[in-house]
């Protein structure tokens, strides 16, 4: 099969196109012929080595976390899927590799593809959908009437999270460039703040939850718009000792993460705000819940560009540029 790999961590080096044998299929695995793969900033961060402390991958490594495709083989213990099923998934850490023609996935990480989506649309959903679900439903427990601030509304996570928060009954505020206001209002945002000309800290107050995806400065400003007892959930860091424990990190990693997050944790405690870091997990059952929302028309995928497989490096560069409105997808078959 053809695949795009990295041989070493690098900011400048492109992914290498290689020929590899098909992956082994374990007893709980499905072998999927990949039709489309979503591209995420996480792929870029892994490529540059930004996450090597918390995700120590063996190289060479096939990148890619999001997949939509067709089951072509099943392991002997597989019960959820059969050959010919159309599925989508955010594959587990340490089993990534969707920038390829085939991948073996544990069946617990996959769900049947929404019937009303194309393969390319379906591939755009899993990582951003599960991130949004785990922040807003699991971690924040968003309820009707609460106020939620979602940063960078026009990005992949933002466009999904706005729709989900609105479905949960929240008042939703977001930041974006002025040209994205119409799109985000249509998705359900009540307040769209032009980040180039306005300061959200001067406009928003008494919020119940913030989904932080930006830098340290934005994180600290977000603290100040939350009400006492509010929740600040960051998907861009800094990671916390609780997260280090969750991933069973070695002692030295726990110390590093504790030091990295000590300032924001102290400030959050002083404000009586709950700060946590979320690194989303693969979860086929949650993805099945998301499927229901998509098939009922509650959530629509927002796809900016679809690149052919041979242009995988261009797709990654476009995501890195920060210009994408919604998701970027690679069409593999």
């Amino acid at each position: 099969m053809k695949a795009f790999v990295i041989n070493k961590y690098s900011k400048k080096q492109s992914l290498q196109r290689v020929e590899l044998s098909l992956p082994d299929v374990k007893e709980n695995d499905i072998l999927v012929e990949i039709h489309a793969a979503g591209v995420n900033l996480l792929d870029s961060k892994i490529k540059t080595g930004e996450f090597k402390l918390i995700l120590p991958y063996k190289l060479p490594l096939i990148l890619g976390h999001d997949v939509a495709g067709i089951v072509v083989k099943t392991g002997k213990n597989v019960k959820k899927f059969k050959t010919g099923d159309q599925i989508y998934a955010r594959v587990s850490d340490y089993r990534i590799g969707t920038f390829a023609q085939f991948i073996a996935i544990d069946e617990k990480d996959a769900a049947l593809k929404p019937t009303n989506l194309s393969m390319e649309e379906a591939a755009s959903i899993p990582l951003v959908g599960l991130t949004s679900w785990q922040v807003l439903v699991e971690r924040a427990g968003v309820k009707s009437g609460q106020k939620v601030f979602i940063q960078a509304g026009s990005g992949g996570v933002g466009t999904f999270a706005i729709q989900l928060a609105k479905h949960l009954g929240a008042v939703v505020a977001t930041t974006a460039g002025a040209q994205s206001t119409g799109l985000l209002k249509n998705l359900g945002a009540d307040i769209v703040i032009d980040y180039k000309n306005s300061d959200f800290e001067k406009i928003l107050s008494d919020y119940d939850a913030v989904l932080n995806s930006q830098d340290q400065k934005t994180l600290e400003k977000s603290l100040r718009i939350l009400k006492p007892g509010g929740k600040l959930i960051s998907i861009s860091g800094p990671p916390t000792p609780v997260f280090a424990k969750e991933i069973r990190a070695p002692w030295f990693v726990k110390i590093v993460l504790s030091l990295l997050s000590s300032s924001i944790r102290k400030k959050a405690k002083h404000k009586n705000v709950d700060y946590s870091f979320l690194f989303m997990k693969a979860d086929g059952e949650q993805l099945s819940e998301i499927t229901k929302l998509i098939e009922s028309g509650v959530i629509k995928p927002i796809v900016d560009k679809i690149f052919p497989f041979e242009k995988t490096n261009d797709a990654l560069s476009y995501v890195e540029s920060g210009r994408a409105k919604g998701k970027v997808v690679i069409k593999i078959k």
Side-chain angles (χ1 to χ4, degrees):
M1 69 173 186
K2 294 179 176 65
F4 280 88
V5 305
I6 55 167
N7 293 301
K8 65 177 184 179
Y9 294 123
S10 168
K11 284 187 178 174
K12 293 178 182 172
Q13 216 168 36
S14 297
L15 307 183
Q16 307 298 307
R17 185 169 166 167
V18 296
E19 290 275 349
L20 298 170
S21 53
L22 291 183
D24 292 332
V25 181
K26 298 174 187 168
E27 52 193 21
N28 295 315
D29 286 355
I30 52 175
L31 181 66
V32 177
E33 182 178 34
I34 301 175
H35 283 234
V39 187
N40 299 283
L41 208 48
L42 176 59
D43 298 307
S44 174
K45 290 182 175 184
I46 288 173
K47 173 181 171 277
T48 61
E50 191 176 322
F51 280 141
K52 64 185 176 186
L53 198 63
I54 57 175
L55 285 171
Y57 281 108
K58 288 177 183 165
L59 302 176
L61 173 70
I62 307 171
L63 287 180
H65 293 75
D66 280 330
V67 59
I70 294 178
V71 178
V72 292
K73 186 179 178 182
T74 59
K76 65 176 186 179
N77 292 345
V78 170
K79 298 195 169 54
K80 273 172 66 179
F81 303 103
K82 63 186 185 303
T83 302
D85 281 347
Q86 298 190 4
I87 65 95
Y88 71 149
R90 190 287 201 191
V91 294
S92 288
D93 298 320
Y94 301 113
R95 298 203 66 183
I96 67 170
T98 63
F99 297 171
Q101 291 176 312
F102 294 87
I103 190 169
I105 307 170
D106 191 304
E107 69 165 341
K108 71 177 177 4
D109 297 337
L112 290 170
K113 179 183 82 64
T115 54
N116 56 337
L117 296 190
S118 67
M119 286 289 188
E120 293 77 29
E121 288 171 326
S124 77
I125 294 287
L127 186 140
V128 298
L130 288 168
T131 299
S132 303
W133 185 277
Q134 288 164 20
V135 169
L136 299 172
V137 177
E138 267 195 332
R139 190 75 59 90
V142 172
K143 294 177 179 63
S144 184
Q146 289 188 323
K147 298 198 291 185
V148 177
F149 174 45
I150 294 160
Q151 296 163 10
S154 63
V157 171
T159 50
F160 192 102
I162 288 167
Q163 295 179 79
L164 180 58
K166 202 66 200 166
H167 169 67
L168 296 170
V171 174
V172 183
T174 191
T175 47
Q179 72 279 8
S180 299
T181 300
L183 167 67
L184 301 185
K185 289 268 188 185
N186 284 338
L187 293 180
D190 299 286
I191 302 164
V192 182
I193 299 163
D194 178 357
Y195 72 91
K196 289 178 182 170
N197 299 309
S198 303
D199 184 351
F200 71 81
E201 191 189 351
K202 292 176 180 164
I203 298 167
L204 308 178
S205 61
D206 279 338
Y207 269 63
D208 296 281
V210 174
L211 194 173
N212 176 79
S213 57
Q214 304 299 294
D215 57 16
Q216 185 75 18
K217 186 181 170 189
T218 309
L219 182 68
E220 295 197 6
K221 284 167 68 172
S222 297
L223 263 186
R224 300 191 280 272
I225 70 159
L226 282 158
K227 61 167 65 165
K231 293 184 177 179
L232 174 53
I233 302 155
S234 178
I235 60 172
S236 59
T240 61
V242 172
F243 170 72
K245 196 174 173 185
E246 280 173 8
I247 63 166
R248 299 190 176 97
W251 64 268
F252 61 91
V253 174
K254 287 178 182 172
I255 291 169
V256 170
L257 299 189
S258 181
L259 291 170
L260 283 174
S261 62
S262 65
S263 172
I264 192 69
R265 285 186 291 115
K266 279 176 191 161
K267 287 172 181 169
K269 193 174 180 183
H270 181 69
K271 286 260 179 198
N272 190 23
V273 165
D274 179 62
Y275 170 72
S276 63
F277 170 73
L278 184 129
F279 193 87
M280 62 78 54
K281 298 180 181 74
D283 192 315
E285 286 187 18
Q286 289 180 354
L287 203 51
S288 293
E289 293 301 312
I290 288 167
T291 299
K292 292 174 194 170
L293 296 179
I294 292 168
E295 289 183 341
S296 64
V298 168
I299 289 176
K300 296 176 176 66
I302 306 297
V303 177
D304 183 332
K305 281 193 179 183
I306 298 170
F307 288 80
F309 189 34
E310 62 271 17
K311 300 283 187 184
T312 293
N313 277 302
D314 293 346
L316 194 56
S317 296
Y318 185 59
V319 168
E320 290 168 344
S321 76
R323 296 195 309 271
K325 302 287 178 269
K327 286 300 298 286
V328 174
V329 174
I330 298 162
K331 183 178 173 66
I332 295 171
K333 186 176 171 65

